[in-house]
């Protein structure tokens, strides 16, 4: 006959030990990220900017993809991402005081200007015979960053032309068409884009900040309502909200205008989504059973966007009482993601095609560096308690 | 206030008074006496103390496990769902000879199940020690009182009804656990 102790204690303990072990492995593996430091995050961002500078061509374009295993540069390019990379270089110049990054960004801007096409009172950079809303939006933001950094009005007319393109592409519900076909002089009325509305939202907000009183805020509000209330349905996002870091930037920019409750509700949900993704990423070890269950690490262009989003939402949370309760947790998660980025970066003693970049399956793409840079810079600011996003002194970090 | 009440209800569902009634019932089926029930008080007190201590060190436990609260809430929800399934299947539940010390041991094991341990940790880390302990004590006292009232009144008569009550309360725990998982997924 079994001793009562075995029946009452041993069996339940064994069963529950097995259950808890399985839950630990499958549901709650350790989240392997440290808090990091502002200084180390800025160093990592500078190293990433080093990759962009070392991998820029004479015409101002950048290495789009580098395949480390093949030592090859696949023949591909994307001007939307070019604009984003240029924006991040202006951010490095503005926040980290790197004049060489400013020069690289200027060459990147020259490439965009070279590809501008004007129609009526608006314009935008052309690629593949069309002007995309994403390119115009990110170029607007890049030029707005430049304006904040230099205090110069050199490209104000270009910014306004890009802004008018965004207005021409905005739909009645606040959403956006995706592109303009140059040759046929017609809009693409069919396709949609999940992320262009967020990019346009931030661009319009930046335009209003640059040129207050010109009415850009009306379009920004329409875009904000579309993103927060309609976009996820329009794009059939299976598990809303879409992890849209651009929208987070836009909201953070607009917080001083006085956001509505539904904007704040969206921002709170968005913070939860970024947090979930960062936590999941922090649980990956890329080996053994963990690799089988959780997959391998995501590229820096994905992880970087989540960190960017969290850093932007931290600024929002610091500026709006309705999100104040989340500020500490948001900053902690942003730091967790930034720490993951810092630890996954290629060492700076690697060859120029590798040093400072992030590789997945032997490949890096230029926006891996872009998103990581922006995320790292603004997370470092968050750790320092710096809510202001723009550079301190216009013109200080350009030459 | 709402948070505190919901937490107390959650503990109540995890303890499952209908399941406890099965542990407090006399093996011969007759209604349990007041003395029978009082004999099991040490188990309840010990369970509350152990769970309260866990709530107190919950943040240290999460740090040791390298887990954020949100991830822990997801894990806790999963464990509570498994615990609720156990309760609904009546695993480990049967009337006991209340005169032996094993009755106390069985009740203690039931009350400090992994489900209640996870819940104490989750509430301790989320709501703080005070709220966690207040809701824990309320849940334990109400669970014991309901269970004692039942077995003192009916004993094991209407076992069929008691079994359905146990399953319904377990279903309530599952619903609450799913909401805990949802919080873990959606919270920062």
């Amino acid at each position: 006959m079994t001793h009562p102790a075995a029946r009452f204690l041993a069996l339940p303990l064994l069963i529950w030990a097995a259950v808890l072990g399985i839950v630990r492995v499958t549901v709650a593996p350790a989240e392997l990220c440290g808090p990091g430091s502002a200084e180390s995050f800025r160093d990592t961002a500078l190293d990433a900017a080093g990759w962009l500078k070392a991998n820029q061509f004479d015409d101002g374009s950048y290495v789009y993809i580098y395949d480390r295993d093949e030592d090859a540069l696949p023949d591909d390019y994307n001007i939307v991402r070019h604009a984003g990379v240029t924006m991040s270089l202006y951010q490095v110049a503005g926040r980290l005081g790197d004049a060489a990054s400013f020069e690289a960004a200027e060459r990147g801007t020259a490439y965009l200007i070279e590809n501008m096409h004007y129609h009526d009172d608006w314009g935008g950079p052309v690629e593949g015979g069309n002007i995309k809303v994403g390119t115009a939006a990110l170029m607007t933001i890049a030029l707005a960053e430049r304006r904040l950094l230099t205090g110069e009005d050199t490209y104000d007319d270009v910014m306004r032309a890009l802004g008018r393109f965004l207005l021409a592409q905005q739909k009645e519900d606040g959403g956006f068409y995706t592109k303009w076909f140059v040759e046929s002089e017609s809009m693409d009325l069919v396709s949609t884009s999940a992320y262009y509305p967020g990019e346009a939202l931030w661009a319009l907000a930046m335009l209003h900040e640059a040129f207050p009183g010109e009415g850009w805020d009306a379009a920004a509000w329409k875009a904000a309502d579309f993103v927060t209330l309609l976009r996820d349905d329009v794009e059939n996002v299976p598990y809303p909200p879409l992890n849209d870091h651009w929208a987070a930037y836009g909201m953070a920019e607009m917080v001083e205008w006085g956001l509505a409750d539904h904007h704040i509700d969206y921002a709170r949900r968005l913070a939860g989504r970024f947090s979930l993704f960062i936590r999941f990423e922090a649980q990956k070890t890329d080996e053994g059973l963990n690799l089988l269950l959780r997959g391998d690490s995501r590229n820096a262009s994905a992880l970087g966007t989540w960190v960017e989003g969290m850093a932007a939402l931290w600024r929002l949370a610091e500026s709006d009482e309705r999100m104040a309760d989340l500020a500490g947790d948001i900053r902690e998660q942003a730091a967790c993601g930034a720490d993951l980025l810092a630890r996954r970066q290629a060492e700076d003693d690697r060859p120029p095609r590798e040093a400072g970049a992030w590789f997945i399956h032997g490949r890096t793409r230029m926006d891996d560096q872009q998103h990581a840079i922006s995320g790292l810079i603004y997370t470092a600011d968050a750790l320092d308690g710096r809510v202001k996003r723009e550079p301190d002194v216009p013109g200080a970090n350009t030459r | 206030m709402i948070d505190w009440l919901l937490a107390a209800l959650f503990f109540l569902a995890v303890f499952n008074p209908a399941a406890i009634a099965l542990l407090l019932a006399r093996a011969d089926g007759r209604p349990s006496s007041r003395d029978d029930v009082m004999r099991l008080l040490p188990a309840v007190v010990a369970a509350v103390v152990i769970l309260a201590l866990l709530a107190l060190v919950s943040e240290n436990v999460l740090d040791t496990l390298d887990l954020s609260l949100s991830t822990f809430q997801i894990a806790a929800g999963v464990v509570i769902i498994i615990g609720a399934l156990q309760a609904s299947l009546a695993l480990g539940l049967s009337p006991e000879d209340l005169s032996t010390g094993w009755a106390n041991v069985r009740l203690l094991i039931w009350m400090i199940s992994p489900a209640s341990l996870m819940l104490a940790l989750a509430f301790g880390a989320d709501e703080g020690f005070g709220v966690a302990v207040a809701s824990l004590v309320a849940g334990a006292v109400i669970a014991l009182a309901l269970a004692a009232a039942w077995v003192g009144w009916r004993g094991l008569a209407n076992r069929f009804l008691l079994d359905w009550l146990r399953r319904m309360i377990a279903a309530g725990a599952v619903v609450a656990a799913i909401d805990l998982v949802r919080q873990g997924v959606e919270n920062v």
Side-chain angles (χ1 to χ4, degrees), chain A residues 269 272-273 276 279, chain B residues 70 73-75 77-78 81 174-188:
Chain A
R269 289 187 291 121
R273 182 51 43 93
L276 178 69
R279 284 185 276 128
Chain B
S70 299
Q73 286 174 324
I74 297 172
V78 171
I81 289 169
V174 168
V175 171
I178 289 171
D179 188 60
L180 189 63
V181 171
R182 180 196 61 76
Q183 288 179 44
V185 168
E186 294 181 356
N187 287 356
V188 175

Side-chain angles (χ1 to χ4, degrees), chain A residues 3-9 12 16 19-20 23-24 27-32 268-269 271-273 275-276 279 283 310 326 329-330 332-333, chain B residues 64-68 70-72 74-76 78-80 82-83 86 94 96 102 105-106 109 113-115 117-118 183-188:
Chain A
H3 190 279
R7 193 156 53 93
F8 296 147
L9 290 175
W16 274 113
V19 168
L20 291 175
V23 169
R24 171 66 164 173
V27 179
E31 293 162 7
L32 302 169
R268 292 181 72 92
R269 289 187 291 121
R273 182 51 43 93
S275 171
L276 178 69
R279 284 185 276 128
Q283 292 173 333
M310 283 304 246
L326 298 183
D329 289 337
I330 289 175
E332 193 176 314
Q333 288 299 327
Chain B
T64 304
L65 293 171
D66 281 324
L67 288 178
S68 59
S70 299
T71 299
F72 188 80
I74 297 172
V78 171
V79 170
I80 291 166
I82 295 170
Q86 180 198 10
S94 59
E96 179 61 52
W102 284 114
V105 174
R106 290 183 62 198
I109 290 173
S113 68
L117 296 177
M118 297 290 271
Q183 288 179 44
V185 168
E186 294 181 356
N187 287 356
V188 175

Side-chain angles (χ1 to χ4, degrees), chain B residues 6-7 9 24 51 54 62 70 89-90 93 98-99 105 107 112 121 127 146-147 159 161 171-172 175 180 183:
Chain B
L6 289 175
L9 283 174
L24 299 188
L51 293 173
L54 267 182
L62 265 58
S70 299
L89 293 172
L93 296 171
L98 297 177
S99 63
V105 174
L107 182 57
I112 57 165
L121 286 168
E127 306 286 351
L146 289 174
R159 170 80 185 255
L161 181 59
V175 171
L180 189 63
Q183 288 179 44

Side-chain angles (χ1 to χ4, degrees), chain A residues 156-227:
Chain A
D156 282 6
D157 289 343
V158 179
M159 286 176 66
R160 290 189 175 96
L162 291 164
R164 286 191 290 269
F165 172 74
L166 295 178
L167 296 185
Q169 296 289 318
Q170 191 168 32
K171 299 177 187 178
E172 197 54 41
D173 64 3
F176 293 84
Y177 296 103
T178 57
K179 60 175 96 73
W180 170 267
F181 297 112
V182 172
E183 197 169 309
S184 62
E185 297 191 344
S186 61
M187 274 193 284
D188 179 350
L189 300 174
V190 179
S191 61
T192 63
S193 166
Y195 289 100
Y196 284 180
E199 293 170 348
L201 161 63
W202 189 23
L204 290 163
M206 294 287 269
L207 281 166
H208 178 70
E209 295 287 310
F211 313 120
E214 293 186 10
W216 301 103
D217 54 337
W221 282 123
K222 276 178 70 177
D225 285 346
F226 174 78
V227 167

Side-chain angles (χ1 to χ4, degrees), chain A residues 87 91 141 198-206 246 249-250 253 389:
Chain A
M87 171 200 77
Q91 291 169 345
I141 298 162
E199 293 170 348
L201 161 63
W202 189 23
L204 290 163
M206 294 287 269
W246 303 114
Y249 277 116
E253 207 71 46
R389 198 188 65 80

Side-chain angles (χ1 to χ4, degrees), chain A residues 34-190:
Chain A
S37 71
E39 189 182 359
S40 69
F41 292 162
R42 292 189 178 110
D43 286 345
T44 306
L46 272 173
D47 288 343
W51 187 93
L52 293 174
K53 289 180 287 187
N55 289 279
Q56 188 176 33
F57 299 110
D58 290 341
D59 68 351
S61 64
Y62 312 90
V63 166
Y64 184 59
I65 293 173
Y66 173 60
D67 188 322
R68 182 171 57 186
D69 299 337
E70 302 288 330
D71 190 24
L73 304 178
D75 185 20
D76 196 3
Y77 208 65
N78 181 307
I79 200 170
V80 183
R81 295 194 172 107
H82 174 101
V85 166
T86 303
M87 171 200 77
S88 71
L89 282 168
Y90 280 128
Q91 291 169 345
V92 172
R95 289 295 303 122
L96 306 183
D98 183 34
S101 288
F102 178 77
E103 296 304 329
E106 289 289 85
R107 289 191 290 276
T109 294
Y111 178 91
L112 291 167
I113 297 289
E114 183 73 21
N115 286 285
M116 281 291 285
H117 169 84
Y118 288 90
H119 179 91
D120 294 338
D121 64 344
W122 51 256
V126 179
E127 183 185 59
N130 62 67
I131 303 170
K132 295 181 185 68
V133 164
T135 322
L138 295 187
M139 183 178 175
T140 304
I141 298 162
L143 294 179
E145 295 283 21
R146 185 189 186 283
R147 195 176 191 276
L148 289 166
L149 163 62
T150 62
E152 296 173 2
D153 58 5
T154 314
Y155 292 114
D156 282 6
D157 289 343
V158 179
M159 286 176 66
R160 290 189 175 96
L162 291 164
R164 286 191 290 269
F165 172 74
L166 295 178
L167 296 185
Q169 296 289 318
Q170 191 168 32
K171 299 177 187 178
E172 197 54 41
D173 64 3
F176 293 84
Y177 296 103
T178 57
K179 60 175 96 73
W180 170 267
F181 297 112
V182 172
E183 197 169 309
S184 62
E185 297 191 344
S186 61
M187 274 193 284
D188 179 350
L189 300 174
V190 179

